[in-house]
Each structure stands twice: as C-alpha cells, then as structure tokens.
Amino acid sequence: EIVPDLRYAISRNFVTSFRKYVENKIKNLTGKGKGKNEGFPHEIDDLDLDDLRSKDVAKRPFEDGPIDILVNSKITCEHGHCPTMFNFRSVHEISRKTWNEVLSVFPNAIEHIICPPNEWAIGNCQQCYEEKQRSIEFPEKMEIWRSRVILEESD
C-alpha cells in the first residue's frame, strides 16, 4: 500500500512576508526590482539568509514587516494546534519537501501536519472546540439557572 506524502500547513502571512523579504534581498543584490519579464537573477546563489536565523529577528522589522521565525505562530493556538488548518485564507498547504526546506532556514518552525477534518475539533484542536462549545452553552445554562431562581423565589 502506498502511503501519500504528508502535507503541512503554513501561514499565508509568513509566506507573504518571507517572499517580500527575499524580493528585497534580491533587489539589494542586483540593484533592480522584479520587473514584468524578470525572473530571479542568477545571483540568487548569493542570497544570504543567515540574518533570519538570529534569535532577535522577530523583533527587528524588515521593510515589509517582521518575519515570524516560528513560521506558524500566527496560526497556532494556545494549545499548540492549528485551529485555522482548514481556513485557506490564512493557511497554505505545502509538501514535506518544501516543509524540510523551511526547516533548514527556520529550525524552530512550528509544525502542523494536515489531517482530515474532525467534527469535534476546530482545525485540529479539540480543546479549542470544547472551549467554544462551553462559551456557546454558558448563556443557555445561565438562563436555565435564572429561570430556576425566579421560580424558587416565587414559591
């Protein structure tokens, strides 16, 4: 039986920020921007991404905003999962090969393997689902409690 290659979720915000960062680096290397018919120049081999490995890079703004050195921190919930996994406005799906390339530059990247949707989870986080359910049920429970108190007071 052939096992399909794993797919990973990556923050679209990160992808956009990283793309802009690389475009600015190339522009600085070549002295020209990415024009209509220009591809990446042969000088891409000179592209140095070592400054992205610095621990304080997240605090240092680049021309187009900061780069998330954890890659997926914006799509990771407090439980360490990805509640936006199936929201393709904020998440992009990539291959294992591409994820490994991301890890080579961002070794502390937060990994989110794409999994099948689960009706008992938000994205892939069951705890977020349970918290949301409690917040939905709370007003209903309060109304029931209120009705009981009013009924008891009227007796």
Side-chain angles (χ1 to χ4, degrees), residues 5-67:
D5 193 26
L6 292 175
R7 306 292 292 172
Y8 294 82
I10 190 166
S11 165
R12 283 191 181 270
N13 184 278
F14 167 80
V15 172
T16 300
S17 296
F18 185 67
R19 179 183 44 78
K20 288 179 180 179
Y21 173 79
V22 170
E23 286 173 356
N24 284 336
K25 286 287 246 180
I26 290 171
K27 182 176 158 183
N28 291 338
L29 280 172
T30 62
K32 55 186 169 183
K34 185 179 172 194
K36 196 173 182 182
N37 295 322
E38 285 182 58
F40 286 120
H42 68 280
E43 292 91 350
I44 195 156
D45 291 337
D46 298 329
L47 188 61
D48 180 15
L49 301 177
D50 284 339
D51 56 338
L52 290 175
R53 292 184 178 99
S54 160
K55 291 186 190 219
D56 66 342
V57 73
K59 298 174 192 160
R60 191 175 65 239
F62 294 102
E63 189 173 313
D64 294 298
I67 300 284

Side-chain angles (χ1 to χ4, degrees), residues 116-131:
N118 178 346
E119 66 183 79
W120 303 106
I122 296 176
N124 70 348
C125 188
Q126 186 173 352
Q127 291 161 302
C128 283
Y129 174 81
E130 291 168 0
E131 287 176 8

Side-chain angles (χ1 to χ4, degrees), residues 79-92:
H79 311 110
H81 300 288
C82 183
T84 60
M85 181 171 289
F86 305 110
N87 177 350
F88 295 106
R89 287 185 173 182
S90 58
V91 173
H92 182 70

Side-chain angles (χ1 to χ4, degrees), residues 2-9 92-100 103 111-116:
I2 297 174
V3 178
D5 193 26
L6 292 175
R7 306 292 292 172
Y8 294 82
H92 182 70
E93 196 174 308
I94 61 173
S95 69
R96 180 191 332 230
K97 179 183 178 203
T98 303
W99 180 251
N100 287 336
L103 283 176
E111 177 181 282
H112 293 301
I113 297 173
I114 299 286
C115 62

